[in-house]
Amino acid sequence: MSDAPIRFDTKIAVLLREDLEPWQRLNVTAFLVSGLGTQVPEVVGEPYEDADGVAYLPMFRQPVMVFEATKETLTKAHARVLSRSLPRAVFTSDLFATGNDRDNRAAVRAVATADLDLVGLAVYGPRNAVDKVVKGARMHP
């Protein structure tokens, strides 16, 4: 096993609106990243197993970078991710009032792209492209 650091040519980033409550930040992050593994299977690593042979689910093969930003910066990031056609997931403020996947999808579908009240965005892609998408955001404290 090599001790050399692993450097990824891709990046997983989550961008959260800075005015969210702590529980909302955690909830939004969990929902956003759940979509990446289903549509971008190369982000998922191998299953885990402990020394006793107990199996665990695979997880992302690389870190998830979490950022925060103003509503305006999040809106700009959304426009940039769309213009670059990168794999993405969105979470809007409307989803805090729904209780299931069907209603979540209906809430997003009911609003035009430019009118989405975004509170979170996840993106995956080449490092430099993702860096350009989250430009203006800061690392989550």
Side-chain angles (χ1 to χ4, degrees), residues 27-130:
N27 184 265
V28 170
T29 300
F31 269 94
L32 287 171
V33 298
S34 69
L36 290 177
T38 62
Q39 296 299 306
V40 189
E42 66 268 19
V43 302
V44 179
E46 297 295 319
Y48 287 73
E49 185 177 294
D50 66 24
D52 294 322
V54 176
Y56 302 95
L57 294 171
M59 296 185 282
F60 290 137
R61 65 182 181 90
Q62 65 190 90
V64 175
M65 308 305 294
V66 181
F67 298 86
E68 68 175 6
T70 63
K71 182 176 183 172
E72 294 75 24
T73 299
L74 186 56
T75 299
K76 289 176 185 174
H78 183 242
R80 289 191 291 258
V81 77
L82 293 177
S83 73
R84 288 172 171 75
S85 300
L86 295 171
R88 70 238 171 221
V90 295
F91 197 103
T92 67
S93 64
D94 296 330
L95 303 188
F96 290 126
T98 60
N100 60 73
D101 186 54
R102 182 192 65 229
D103 292 342
N104 286 350
R105 284 182 283 111
V108 173
R109 183 180 303 277
V111 180
T113 304
D115 296 328
L116 291 171
D117 185 16
L118 298 168
V119 297
L121 173 71
V123 58
Y124 170 76
R127 286 170 39 104
N128 61 345
V130 172

